[in-house]
């Protein structure tokens, strides 16, 4: 096909990398993939700074700096999909700024207007943007004034209320308070960055096999039993609360995660 996929940087799943170190494996795989296809035939690499749909999985700190260094050496563009991670979700304006990298293009949406209005944006490095100039294909709602006004107001509030710091502090509180749940038989891993947190549920802690959670009514049942709305991405419970969440609300959410995890058995059955 026209797209080559790379192994995801997923620290809990060491089985993806055999006996290699995760980052060395991924960097080597990128280098050999570029060699196989030919750098002149690769338009760009796309990646999420923190993998969202996989269940809010942050890579090791040196993953993005080393991967983007290889891309730069081969003159290949890097496009950061920050639809989930930008505008405070991970405790920084961008996931890229957290990891200290400068993508050529950043795609963002959701958090710009805190979800209140539909709006998305591309942030493009000037050398790349210059090439596109004059060839812009707009859309019916491009530059929508109300969406832009709401986005501006949200960005002002994130600054004024210091919400990047709140996302960082409450995120650390989440990780700390969730930690004891690792003693439960179905809780395999707890990971996250800022207020993008995942609790990966497994049926076997040795093989890290996913807990089978295919009942589509589960999220509704979790909500009825705990009063908390969870995301469920595959076998990962996902927590992406508002950036204004308080310390008390964090503790109450952790309690809800605990009560859900306690009611799940290793065959995936949920006992009410
Ligand atoms: C990582 C990521 N990229 C992009 C998108 C945007 O997709 P769409 O434009 O289809 O809403 C989403 C939506 O959830 C997403 O999670």
């Amino acid at each position: 096909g026209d797209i080559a996929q790379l192994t995801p940087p997923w620290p809990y799943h060491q089985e993806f990398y055999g006996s290699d170190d995760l980052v060395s494996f991924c960097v080597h795989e990128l280098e050999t993939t570029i060699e196989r296809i030919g750098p002149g035939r690769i338009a760009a690499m796309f990646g999420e700074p923190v993998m969202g749909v996989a269940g809010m999985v942050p890579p090791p700190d040196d993953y993005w700096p080393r991967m983007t260094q290889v891309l730069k050496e081969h003159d290949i563009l890097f496009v950061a999909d920050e639809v989930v991670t930008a505008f405070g979700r991970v405790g920084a304006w961008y996931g890229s700024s957290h990891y200290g990298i400068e993508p050529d293009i950043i795609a963002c949406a959701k958090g710009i207007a805190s979800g209140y209005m539909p709006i998305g944006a591309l942030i493009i490095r000037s050398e790349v943007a210059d090439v596109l100039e004059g060839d812009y294909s707009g859309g019916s709602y491009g530059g929508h004034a109300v969406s832009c006004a709401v986005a501006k107001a949200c960005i002002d509030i994130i600054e004024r209320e210091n919400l990047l710091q709140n996302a960082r502090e409450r995120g650390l509180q989440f990780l700390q308070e969730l930690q004891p749940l690792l003693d439960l038989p179905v809780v395999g891993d707890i990971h996250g960055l800022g207020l993008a947190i995942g609790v990966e549920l497994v049926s076997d802690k040795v093989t890290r096999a996913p807990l089978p959670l295919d009942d589509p009514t589960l999220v509704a049942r979790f909500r009825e039993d705990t009063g908390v709305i969870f995301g469920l991405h595959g076998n990962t419970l996902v927590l992406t609360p508002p950036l204004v969440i308080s310390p008390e609300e964090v503790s109450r959410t952790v309690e809800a995660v605990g009560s859900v995890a306690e009611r799940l058995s290793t065959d995936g059955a949920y006992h009410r």
Side-chain angles (χ1 to χ4, degrees):
D2 292 326
I3 297 171
Q5 287 187 322
L6 301 174
T7 307
W10 199 322
Y12 180 55
H13 288 278
Q14 179 58 41
E15 71 271 17
F16 294 168
Y17 320 103
S19 55
D20 287 352
D21 159 69
L22 181 161
V23 177
S24 308
F25 178 98
C26 291
V27 167
H28 179 71
E29 185 187 43
L30 175 62
E31 284 167 338
T32 53
T33 304
I34 293 172
E35 209 170 295
R36 176 167 56 79
I37 300 173
R41 298 185 62 238
I42 300 174
M45 174 174 170
F46 289 69
E48 282 185 283
V50 171
M51 293 192 293
V53 178
M56 305 301 159
V57 181
D61 284 344
D62 57 341
Y63 173 82
W64 283 118
R66 287 186 56 193
M67 294 290 279
T68 51
Q69 180 59 36
V70 173
L71 297 174
K72 202 172 277 177
E73 283 162 11
H74 292 90
D75 220 8
I76 296 169
L77 298 180
F78 175 57
V79 182
D81 178 345
E82 296 230 26
V83 167
V84 169
T85 50
F87 293 94
R89 174 56 53 198
V90 298
W93 283 112
Y94 302 98
S96 302
S97 41
H98 172 85
Y99 286 104
I101 55 167
E102 289 187 0
D104 299 288
I105 299 176
I106 294 178
C108 49
K110 307 183 193 286
I112 315 179
S114 289
Y116 290 112
M117 286 296 281
I119 178 169
L122 284 180
I123 301 167
I124 308 179
R125 197 159 56 79
S126 53
E127 292 93 318
V128 179
D130 288 347
V131 176
L132 298 174
E133 207 173 9
D135 204 17
Y136 172 70
S137 59
S140 305
Y141 296 100
H144 196 281
V146 179
S147 289
C148 293
V150 172
K152 236 175 134 287
C154 283
I155 292 168
D156 286 346
I157 291 169
I158 292 172
E159 282 178 338
R160 193 170 66 231
E161 299 189 10
N162 216 357
L163 296 184
L164 300 185
Q165 187 181 344
N166 194 59
R168 284 194 296 274
E169 290 177 359
R170 299 288 71 77
L172 289 174
Q173 181 190 347
F174 259 119
L175 294 180
Q176 213 165 37
E177 293 188 10
L178 285 167
Q179 213 57 31
L181 299 185
L182 283 170
D183 291 339
L184 294 172
V186 297
V187 177
D189 193 36
I190 291 161
H191 48 248
L193 187 67
L195 289 172
I197 299 193
V199 177
E200 192 169 331
L201 302 171
V202 294
S203 55
D204 181 327
K205 291 201 188 197
V206 177
T207 62
R208 306 178 194 101
L211 194 64
L213 296 171
D214 31 29
D215 175 354
T217 66
L218 264 185
V219 172
R221 292 158 76 196
F222 294 164
R223 186 194 66 228
E224 284 161 16
D225 293 345
T226 65
V228 172
I229 302 172
F230 296 103
L232 187 58
H233 293 183
N235 60 312
T236 299
L237 275 180
V238 163
L239 309 172
T240 48
L243 305 188
V244 293
I245 193 169
S246 69
E248 295 71 31
E249 288 163 337
V250 170
S251 300
R252 163 139 165 48
T253 308
V254 169
E255 216 173 283
V257 176
S259 86
V260 162
E262 273 167 10
R263 294 179 211 203
L264 284 164
S265 49
T266 50
D267 60 359
Y270 180 64
H271 310 275
R272 303 184 94 161

